[in-house]
Amino acid sequence: MSTQKKVRILSIDGGGIRGIIPATILQYVEAYLQKKVPDTTISDHFDMVAGTSTGGILTGIYLTPQKENYKKAKYTASEALDFYIKEGYTVFNAAKNRLWKRFWGLGNATEYCPQNFEKALQEKFGNLRMSELLEPCLITAYDMKTKAPYFFTSTEDTTKREFLVRDVIRSTCAAPTYFPPAKIKNRAAHFQKGSKAAYMLNIDGGVFANNPVMCAYAEARNTNFKERHNNEPAANEMQILSIGTGGGGFTINRIEKSSSWSLLKWAKLIPDIMMDGSIDAVAYQMNEIYQTLAPTDSGSYLRINTPEQYRNYSSKMSDATPENIEKLLQAGDQTLNYAIANGLNPFLDQLLE
């Protein structure tokens, strides 16, 4: 076993309003760790945080510093959960585009207008920059201009790449057919005002990494964690907590007729299939990596996701009605109890060693 301190990584899946589930679990995680180390938050116990889509929102909230003390977190895990409860309906249900406009091409074909979401992000993050976040982080997006995955990190060379946190989150949450792509500006001094190269056009990182844990693992392998005295750590030098959002509940009706489905039918299903398909595959791959390690290290990866029997909420990741939010809160509690019964507390104790 390595004699170095393990690099502690938190990874959070995408899933829209279902971010309530990981937010509920991390509220418990923070409270549990505070009993051992008072006056601490999530950012004090993880050396890197990674998120896709709604996981990107949580990443930004947990790592936002106080203005008066840039080494301490501004928001608690409870306040992160409150963001979903208070803003969910405004961001989704109250921002829904009229169906007839979508199908007749009188507006864009996305389901929701982004203005409410952008306003909520402005209020939460202001002009905070990625380089100002408390810990190294990774947030995924897909750059439509270069036709390639893009990884926003807080450890960039800010003379070349510098982005506002709210712009990054708007990018990672631009799920196809839900929100339109995000046009954002690179704020680095390297770019002259008005330069076309300074602009990106991004969609949700969930199109390639709805479970970003493998991306976080790869990023950590190339990062120097100075305060942990650990440079480019191997798997046995990492402790990873990966939290899902309980996806996979959508239904595919009459699959026996799929060979004759219309373009519209496929268009409705592809985003869910595409974003859900990679989640379990990546979890399996990470589990296989850790099963190759010595017994003293193989338990350093923990995956938490909502078991099938607790998925009684809407399969639609934009359903922020009060009724569905209540169901998601209940699912969060049930998932938490399941995680505790399957080793969450001992795992958290390891974070403190």
Side-chain angles (χ1 to χ4, degrees), residues 248-319:
F250 65 96
T251 56
I252 304 178
N253 296 320
R254 302 182 68 186
I255 57 173
E256 69 279 0
K257 301 289 185 180
S258 59
S259 60
S260 59
W261 280 352
S262 67
L263 180 62
L264 181 60
K265 173 77 171 180
W266 277 110
K268 288 180 178 180
L269 284 171
I270 283 175
D272 285 325
I273 294 173
M274 182 172 54
M275 292 186 180
D276 186 68
S278 67
I279 291 176
D280 292 336
V282 171
Y284 169 80
Q285 290 162 355
M286 283 301 301
N287 188 63
E288 288 298 295
I289 288 173
Y290 273 80
Q291 289 306 308
T292 66
L293 304 182
T296 50
D297 295 311
S298 60
S300 292
Y301 165 70
L302 179 63
R303 171 69 175 172
I304 299 172
N305 203 7
T306 307
E308 191 76 33
Q309 65 266 32
Y310 301 139
R311 298 180 183 181
N312 298 318
Y313 42 81
S314 171
S315 62
K316 192 172 178 60
M317 64 182 182
S318 59
D319 184 351

Side-chain angles (χ1 to χ4, degrees), residues 140-142 148-151 203-211 215 274 278 282:
T140 66
Y142 183 85
Y150 195 91
F151 302 102
I203 59 174
D204 193 337
V207 300
F208 70 93
N210 214 25
N211 176 351
C215 300
M274 182 172 54
S278 67
V282 171

Side-chain angles (χ1 to χ4, degrees), residues 65-74:
Q66 299 175 5
K67 285 186 178 180
E68 59 276 12
N69 184 353
Y70 68 92
K71 291 187 177 181
K72 296 295 292 182
K74 180 178 181 179

Side-chain angles (χ1 to χ4, degrees), residues 60 63-65 125-135 137 153-155 158-159 161-168 185-189:
L63 298 183
T64 295
F125 301 106
N127 291 325
L128 181 69
R129 294 174 178 246
M130 288 290 288
S131 61
E132 297 171 323
L133 294 175
L134 287 165
E135 298 290 345
C137 74
T153 71
S154 57
T155 55
T158 55
T159 65
R161 301 205 303 185
E162 179 71 296
F163 298 92
L164 297 182
V165 172
R166 58 183 165 89
D167 287 344
V168 171
K185 183 179 180 180
N186 187 341
R187 310 281 172 148

